[in-house]
Amino acid sequence: LSPTGAHTTQLLVEAPWRPAVLWDWVTLTCQGLGTASATTWYKDGQQWGKQEGPDRLNVTKSGTYTYDRAGSGLSTPVRVLDHQLMLQVPAQALLEGDKVTLRCRG
């Protein structure tokens, strides 16, 4: 059982930098319980399509993505941007004191 308000689904973002932008290869992956073959993707609140088989989506358009899976519900949203100028950090865990390379793209 999940605590009240907790999501049983999660949307994993695979991208080399954060925030996720279209210039980078961005893949979204469904993680969680439910029926994998009954996954429906949403982009900006509108149905984006049904995926059969692997629960992965290669993002080609900017927007806010979620997915719904029978038996577990709607995932938390993930936003993929398409801005002209963006300051990014590596998509890895950082601790205080770590050296980090920032990337400015535009």
Side-chain angles (χ1 to χ4, degrees):
L1 295 175
S2 298
T4 303
H7 288 270
T8 57
T9 59
Q10 182 178 355
L11 192 47
L12 176 67
V13 181
E14 297 174 52
W17 297 84
R18 295 289 189 266
V21 293
L22 289 181
W23 318 314
D24 298 322
W25 185 261
V26 179
T27 301
L28 303 178
T29 304
C30 303
Q31 291 188 328
L33 305 173
T35 307
S37 64
T39 300
T40 303
W41 288 93
Y42 295 89
K43 178 186 168 293
D44 300 324
Q46 301 295 316
Q47 186 172 332
W48 191 246
K50 288 199 177 279
Q51 296 292 109
E52 298 294 334
D55 294 327
R56 299 169 66 87
L57 178 69
N58 293 323
V59 178
T60 58
K61 295 184 183 274
S62 63
T64 301
Y65 291 84
T66 58
Y67 74 92
D68 185 40
R69 181 182 282 174
S72 63
L74 194 63
S75 70
T76 54
V78 168
R79 189 167 179 211
V80 179
L81 304 172
D82 187 22
H83 292 304
Q84 295 299 315
L85 184 62
M86 180 68 59
L87 181 63
Q88 296 177 293
V89 297
Q92 62 191 37
L94 298 172
L95 300 173
E96 185 176 343
D98 286 351
K99 291 183 180 182
V100 63
T101 300
L102 301 178
R103 180 170 85 167
C104 184
R105 299 275 311 259

PDB file of all heavy atoms in Angstrom, residues 74-99:
ATOM      1  N   LEU A  74      -1.563   7.580 -12.747  1.00  0.00           N
ATOM      2  CA  LEU A  74      -0.830   8.598 -13.482  1.00  0.00           C
ATOM      3  C   LEU A  74       0.504   8.911 -12.805  1.00  0.00           C
ATOM      4  O   LEU A  74       0.578   9.052 -11.587  1.00  0.00           O
ATOM      5  CB  LEU A  74      -1.683   9.868 -13.553  1.00  0.00           C
ATOM      6  CG  LEU A  74      -1.283  10.942 -14.535  1.00  0.00           C
ATOM      7  CD1 LEU A  74      -1.363  10.427 -15.962  1.00  0.00           C
ATOM      8  CD2 LEU A  74      -2.192  12.149 -14.377  1.00  0.00           C
ATOM      9  N   SER A  75       1.556   9.033 -13.613  1.00  0.00           N
ATOM     10  CA  SER A  75       2.882   9.367 -13.083  1.00  0.00           C
ATOM     11  C   SER A  75       2.975  10.862 -12.791  1.00  0.00           C
ATOM     12  O   SER A  75       2.145  11.651 -13.244  1.00  0.00           O
ATOM     13  CB  SER A  75       3.964   8.993 -14.095  1.00  0.00           C
ATOM     14  OG  SER A  75       3.911   9.854 -15.216  1.00  0.00           O
ATOM     15  N   THR A  76       4.024  11.243 -12.083  1.00  0.00           N
ATOM     16  CA  THR A  76       4.307  12.659 -11.897  1.00  0.00           C
ATOM     17  C   THR A  76       4.797  13.212 -13.236  1.00  0.00           C
ATOM     18  O   THR A  76       5.395  12.489 -14.033  1.00  0.00           O
ATOM     19  CB  THR A  76       5.390  12.876 -10.825  1.00  0.00           C
ATOM     20  OG1 THR A  76       6.532  12.111 -11.164  1.00  0.00           O
ATOM     21  CG2 THR A  76       4.897  12.486  -9.450  1.00  0.00           C
ATOM     22  N   PRO A  77       4.545  14.492 -13.520  1.00  0.00           N
ATOM     23  CA  PRO A  77       4.925  15.047 -14.824  1.00  0.00           C
ATOM     24  C   PRO A  77       6.423  15.334 -14.928  1.00  0.00           C
ATOM     25  O   PRO A  77       7.100  15.598 -13.939  1.00  0.00           O
ATOM     26  CB  PRO A  77       4.118  16.343 -14.897  1.00  0.00           C
ATOM     27  CG  PRO A  77       3.829  16.703 -13.486  1.00  0.00           C
ATOM     28  CD  PRO A  77       3.783  15.427 -12.711  1.00  0.00           C
ATOM     29  N   VAL A  78       6.927  15.279 -16.165  1.00  0.00           N
ATOM     30  CA  VAL A  78       8.304  15.635 -16.492  1.00  0.00           C
ATOM     31  C   VAL A  78       8.244  16.638 -17.635  1.00  0.00           C
ATOM     32  O   VAL A  78       7.553  16.409 -18.630  1.00  0.00           O
ATOM     33  CB  VAL A  78       9.117  14.398 -16.911  1.00  0.00           C
ATOM     34  CG1 VAL A  78      10.439  14.800 -17.534  1.00  0.00           C
ATOM     35  CG2 VAL A  78       9.348  13.491 -15.726  1.00  0.00           C
ATOM     36  N   ARG A  79       8.990  17.727 -17.506  1.00  0.00           N
ATOM     37  CA  ARG A  79       8.991  18.769 -18.529  1.00  0.00           C
ATOM     38  C   ARG A  79      10.266  18.687 -19.353  1.00  0.00           C
ATOM     39  O   ARG A  79      11.370  18.619 -18.803  1.00  0.00           O
ATOM     40  CB  ARG A  79       8.879  20.138 -17.863  1.00  0.00           C
ATOM     41  CG  ARG A  79       8.647  21.242 -18.843  1.00  0.00           C
ATOM     42  CD  ARG A  79       8.242  22.500 -18.128  1.00  0.00           C
ATOM     43  NE  ARG A  79       8.060  23.556 -19.100  1.00  0.00           N
ATOM     44  CZ  ARG A  79       8.279  24.830 -18.868  1.00  0.00           C
ATOM     45  NH1 ARG A  79       8.658  25.215 -17.675  1.00  0.00           N
ATOM     46  NH2 ARG A  79       8.092  25.712 -19.804  1.00  0.00           N
ATOM     47  N   VAL A  80      10.118  18.703 -20.669  1.00  0.00           N
ATOM     48  CA  VAL A  80      11.244  18.729 -21.600  1.00  0.00           C
ATOM     49  C   VAL A  80      11.170  20.063 -22.333  1.00  0.00           C
ATOM     50  O   VAL A  80      10.139  20.404 -22.913  1.00  0.00           O
ATOM     51  CB  VAL A  80      11.199  17.556 -22.598  1.00  0.00           C
ATOM     52  CG1 VAL A  80      12.367  17.629 -23.571  1.00  0.00           C
ATOM     53  CG2 VAL A  80      11.208  16.229 -21.859  1.00  0.00           C
ATOM     54  N   LEU A  81      12.260  20.822 -22.298  1.00  0.00           N
ATOM     55  CA  LEU A  81      12.274  22.191 -22.805  1.00  0.00           C
ATOM     56  C   LEU A  81      12.873  22.285 -24.206  1.00  0.00           C
ATOM     57  O   LEU A  81      13.593  21.389 -24.646  1.00  0.00           O
ATOM     58  CB  LEU A  81      13.089  23.075 -21.851  1.00  0.00           C
ATOM     59  CG  LEU A  81      12.628  23.070 -20.389  1.00  0.00           C
ATOM     60  CD1 LEU A  81      13.631  23.815 -19.526  1.00  0.00           C
ATOM     61  CD2 LEU A  81      11.249  23.661 -20.255  1.00  0.00           C
ATOM     62  N   ASP A  82      12.604  23.402 -24.863  1.00  0.00           N
ATOM     63  CA  ASP A  82      13.185  23.696 -26.165  1.00  0.00           C
ATOM     64  C   ASP A  82      13.500  25.193 -26.215  1.00  0.00           C
ATOM     65  O   ASP A  82      13.049  25.904 -27.093  1.00  0.00           O
ATOM     66  CB  ASP A  82      12.226  23.312 -27.289  1.00  0.00           C
ATOM     67  CG  ASP A  82      12.871  23.448 -28.667  1.00  0.00           C
ATOM     68  OD1 ASP A  82      14.109  23.430 -28.745  1.00  0.00           O
ATOM     69  OD2 ASP A  82      12.135  23.580 -29.648  1.00  0.00           O
ATOM     70  N   HIS A  83      14.262  25.677 -25.234  1.00  0.00           N
ATOM     71  CA  HIS A  83      14.599  27.100 -25.159  1.00  0.00           C
ATOM     72  C   HIS A  83      15.803  27.415 -26.032  1.00  0.00           C
ATOM     73  O   HIS A  83      16.639  26.550 -26.295  1.00  0.00           O
ATOM     74  CB  HIS A  83      14.897  27.504 -23.712  1.00  0.00           C
ATOM     75  CG  HIS A  83      13.693  27.463 -22.824  1.00  0.00           C
ATOM     76  ND1 HIS A  83      12.536  28.153 -23.085  1.00  0.00           N
ATOM     77  CD2 HIS A  83      13.477  26.802 -21.666  1.00  0.00           C
ATOM     78  CE1 HIS A  83      11.654  27.925 -22.128  1.00  0.00           C
ATOM     79  NE2 HIS A  83      12.208  27.098 -21.258  1.00  0.00           N
ATOM     80  N   GLN A  84      15.906  28.677 -26.434  1.00  0.00           N
ATOM     81  CA  GLN A  84      17.028  29.111 -27.251  1.00  0.00           C
ATOM     82  C   GLN A  84      18.313  29.222 -26.444  1.00  0.00           C
ATOM     83  O   GLN A  84      19.398  29.032 -26.967  1.00  0.00           O
ATOM     84  CB  GLN A  84      16.715  30.469 -27.898  1.00  0.00           C
ATOM     85  CG  GLN A  84      15.573  30.399 -28.886  1.00  0.00           C
ATOM     86  CD  GLN A  84      15.878  29.463 -30.038  1.00  0.00           C
ATOM     87  OE1 GLN A  84      16.962  29.483 -30.604  1.00  0.00           O
ATOM     88  NE2 GLN A  84      14.920  28.631 -30.387  1.00  0.00           N
ATOM     89  N   LEU A  85      18.216  29.538 -25.152  1.00  0.00           N
ATOM     90  CA  LEU A  85      19.389  29.685 -24.297  1.00  0.00           C
ATOM     91  C   LEU A  85      19.129  28.946 -22.995  1.00  0.00           C
ATOM     92  O   LEU A  85      18.092  29.137 -22.362  1.00  0.00           O
ATOM     93  CB  LEU A  85      19.656  31.164 -24.025  1.00  0.00           C
ATOM     94  CG  LEU A  85      20.907  31.505 -23.219  1.00  0.00           C
ATOM     95  CD1 LEU A  85      22.161  31.044 -23.967  1.00  0.00           C
ATOM     96  CD2 LEU A  85      20.975  33.003 -22.969  1.00  0.00           C
ATOM     97  N   MET A  86      20.070  28.087 -22.600  1.00  0.00           N
ATOM     98  CA  MET A  86      19.839  27.238 -21.430  1.00  0.00           C
ATOM     99  C   MET A  86      21.143  27.014 -20.679  1.00  0.00           C
ATOM    100  O   MET A  86      22.168  26.717 -21.291  1.00  0.00           O
ATOM    101  CB  MET A  86      19.269  25.892 -21.886  1.00  0.00           C
ATOM    102  CG  MET A  86      18.982  24.919 -20.792  1.00  0.00           C
ATOM    103  SD  MET A  86      17.637  25.421 -19.718  1.00  0.00           S
ATOM    104  CE  MET A  86      16.299  25.544 -20.863  1.00  0.00           C
ATOM    105  N   LEU A  87      21.102  27.149 -19.355  1.00  0.00           N
ATOM    106  CA  LEU A  87      22.218  26.790 -18.496  1.00  0.00           C
ATOM    107  C   LEU A  87      21.890  25.434 -17.900  1.00  0.00           C
ATOM    108  O   LEU A  87      20.846  25.255 -17.284  1.00  0.00           O
ATOM    109  CB  LEU A  87      22.408  27.831 -17.384  1.00  0.00           C
ATOM    110  CG  LEU A  87      23.568  27.577 -16.433  1.00  0.00           C
ATOM    111  CD1 LEU A  87      24.898  27.621 -17.180  1.00  0.00           C
ATOM    112  CD2 LEU A  87      23.565  28.596 -15.302  1.00  0.00           C
ATOM    113  N   GLN A  88      22.792  24.468 -18.099  1.00  0.00           N
ATOM    114  CA  GLN A  88      22.541  23.098 -17.665  1.00  0.00           C
ATOM    115  C   GLN A  88      23.635  22.608 -16.728  1.00  0.00           C
ATOM    116  O   GLN A  88      24.760  23.105 -16.751  1.00  0.00           O
ATOM    117  CB  GLN A  88      22.469  22.156 -18.864  1.00  0.00           C
ATOM    118  CG  GLN A  88      21.322  22.425 -19.796  1.00  0.00           C
ATOM    119  CD  GLN A  88      21.370  21.496 -20.988  1.00  0.00           C
ATOM    120  OE1 GLN A  88      22.272  21.593 -21.800  1.00  0.00           O
ATOM    121  NE2 GLN A  88      20.405  20.599 -21.075  1.00  0.00           N
ATOM    122  N   VAL A  89      23.277  21.602 -15.932  1.00  0.00           N
ATOM    123  CA  VAL A  89      24.224  20.901 -15.067  1.00  0.00           C
ATOM    124  C   VAL A  89      24.187  19.429 -15.452  1.00  0.00           C
ATOM    125  O   VAL A  89      23.197  18.939 -15.992  1.00  0.00           O
ATOM    126  CB  VAL A  89      23.887  21.071 -13.567  1.00  0.00           C
ATOM    127  CG1 VAL A  89      23.977  22.523 -13.154  1.00  0.00           C
ATOM    128  CG2 VAL A  89      22.518  20.502 -13.240  1.00  0.00           C
ATOM    129  N   PRO A  90      25.270  18.673 -15.184  1.00  0.00           N
ATOM    130  CA  PRO A  90      25.261  17.243 -15.494  1.00  0.00           C
ATOM    131  C   PRO A  90      24.141  16.527 -14.745  1.00  0.00           C
ATOM    132  O   PRO A  90      23.794  16.896 -13.624  1.00  0.00           O
ATOM    133  CB  PRO A  90      26.629  16.757 -15.009  1.00  0.00           C
ATOM    134  CG  PRO A  90      27.474  17.976 -14.955  1.00  0.00           C
ATOM    135  CD  PRO A  90      26.549  19.102 -14.619  1.00  0.00           C
ATOM    136  N   ALA A  91      23.594  15.510 -15.369  1.00  0.00           N
ATOM    137  CA  ALA A  91      22.487  14.750 -14.776  1.00  0.00           C
ATOM    138  C   ALA A  91      23.033  13.656 -13.870  1.00  0.00           C
ATOM    139  O   ALA A  91      22.746  12.485 -14.032  1.00  0.00           O
ATOM    140  CB  ALA A  91      21.618  14.159 -15.874  1.00  0.00           C
ATOM    141  N   GLN A  92      23.815  14.055 -12.895  1.00  0.00           N
ATOM    142  CA  GLN A  92      24.360  13.099 -11.928  1.00  0.00           C
ATOM    143  C   GLN A  92      24.185  13.694 -10.542  1.00  0.00           C
ATOM    144  O   GLN A  92      24.000  14.892 -10.394  1.00  0.00           O
ATOM    145  CB  GLN A  92      25.840  12.837 -12.201  1.00  0.00           C
ATOM    146  CG  GLN A  92      26.707  14.083 -12.054  1.00  0.00           C
ATOM    147  CD  GLN A  92      28.113  13.889 -12.577  1.00  0.00           C
ATOM    148  OE1 GLN A  92      28.306  13.225 -13.571  1.00  0.00           O
ATOM    149  NE2 GLN A  92      29.079  14.473 -11.911  1.00  0.00           N
ATOM    150  N   ALA A  93      24.237  12.852  -9.552  1.00  0.00           N
ATOM    151  CA  ALA A  93      24.102  13.319  -8.178  1.00  0.00           C
ATOM    152  C   ALA A  93      25.310  14.176  -7.826  1.00  0.00           C
ATOM    153  O   ALA A  93      26.450  13.806  -8.106  1.00  0.00           O
ATOM    154  CB  ALA A  93      23.992  12.136  -7.233  1.00  0.00           C
ATOM    155  N   LEU A  94      25.053  15.334  -7.244  1.00  0.00           N
ATOM    156  CA  LEU A  94      26.120  16.239  -6.834  1.00  0.00           C
ATOM    157  C   LEU A  94      26.031  16.467  -5.338  1.00  0.00           C
ATOM    158  O   LEU A  94      24.940  16.585  -4.782  1.00  0.00           O
ATOM    159  CB  LEU A  94      25.990  17.583  -7.555  1.00  0.00           C
ATOM    160  CG  LEU A  94      26.095  17.551  -9.078  1.00  0.00           C
ATOM    161  CD1 LEU A  94      25.750  18.907  -9.661  1.00  0.00           C
ATOM    162  CD2 LEU A  94      27.488  17.123  -9.491  1.00  0.00           C
ATOM    163  N   LEU A  95      27.180  16.527  -4.704  1.00  0.00           N
ATOM    164  CA  LEU A  95      27.243  16.797  -3.276  1.00  0.00           C
ATOM    165  C   LEU A  95      27.955  18.125  -3.056  1.00  0.00           C
ATOM    166  O   LEU A  95      28.747  18.572  -3.889  1.00  0.00           O
ATOM    167  CB  LEU A  95      28.001  15.675  -2.555  1.00  0.00           C
ATOM    168  CG  LEU A  95      27.400  14.279  -2.680  1.00  0.00           C
ATOM    169  CD1 LEU A  95      28.340  13.256  -2.063  1.00  0.00           C
ATOM    170  CD2 LEU A  95      26.028  14.228  -2.033  1.00  0.00           C
ATOM    171  N   GLU A  96      27.684  18.743  -1.921  1.00  0.00           N
ATOM    172  CA  GLU A  96      28.343  19.995  -1.586  1.00  0.00           C
ATOM    173  C   GLU A  96      29.853  19.798  -1.628  1.00  0.00           C
ATOM    174  O   GLU A  96      30.383  18.817  -1.112  1.00  0.00           O
ATOM    175  CB  GLU A  96      27.909  20.452  -0.194  1.00  0.00           C
ATOM    176  CG  GLU A  96      28.453  21.807   0.181  1.00  0.00           C
ATOM    177  CD  GLU A  96      27.944  22.295   1.519  1.00  0.00           C
ATOM    178  OE1 GLU A  96      26.938  21.752   2.012  1.00  0.00           O
ATOM    179  OE2 GLU A  96      28.575  23.210   2.060  1.00  0.00           O
ATOM    180  N   GLY A  97      30.543  20.714  -2.297  1.00  0.00           N
ATOM    181  CA  GLY A  97      31.989  20.620  -2.419  1.00  0.00           C
ATOM    182  C   GLY A  97      32.455  19.967  -3.710  1.00  0.00           C
ATOM    183  O   GLY A  97      33.630  20.060  -4.058  1.00  0.00           O
ATOM    184  N   ASP A  98      31.548  19.277  -4.420  1.00  0.00           N
ATOM    185  CA  ASP A  98      31.919  18.663  -5.704  1.00  0.00           C
ATOM    186  C   ASP A  98      32.220  19.752  -6.726  1.00  0.00           C
ATOM    187  O   ASP A  98      31.578  20.806  -6.742  1.00  0.00           O
ATOM    188  CB  ASP A  98      30.783  17.798  -6.254  1.00  0.00           C
ATOM    189  CG  ASP A  98      30.607  16.492  -5.514  1.00  0.00           C
ATOM    190  OD1 ASP A  98      31.470  16.160  -4.679  1.00  0.00           O
ATOM    191  OD2 ASP A  98      29.600  15.808  -5.780  1.00  0.00           O
ATOM    192  N   LYS A  99      33.184  19.496  -7.600  1.00  0.00           N
ATOM    193  CA  LYS A  99      33.425  20.377  -8.736  1.00  0.00           C
ATOM    194  C   LYS A  99      32.409  19.997  -9.810  1.00  0.00           C
ATOM    195  O   LYS A  99      32.137  18.821 -10.024  1.00  0.00           O
ATOM    196  CB  LYS A  99      34.839  20.211  -9.260  1.00  0.00           C
ATOM    197  CG  LYS A  99      35.877  20.744  -8.310  1.00  0.00           C
ATOM    198  CD  LYS A  99      37.259  20.631  -8.896  1.00  0.00           C
ATOM    199  CE  LYS A  99      38.266  21.183  -7.908  1.00  0.00           C
ATOM    200  NZ  LYS A  99      39.630  21.138  -8.427  1.00  0.00           N
TER     201      LYS A  99
END
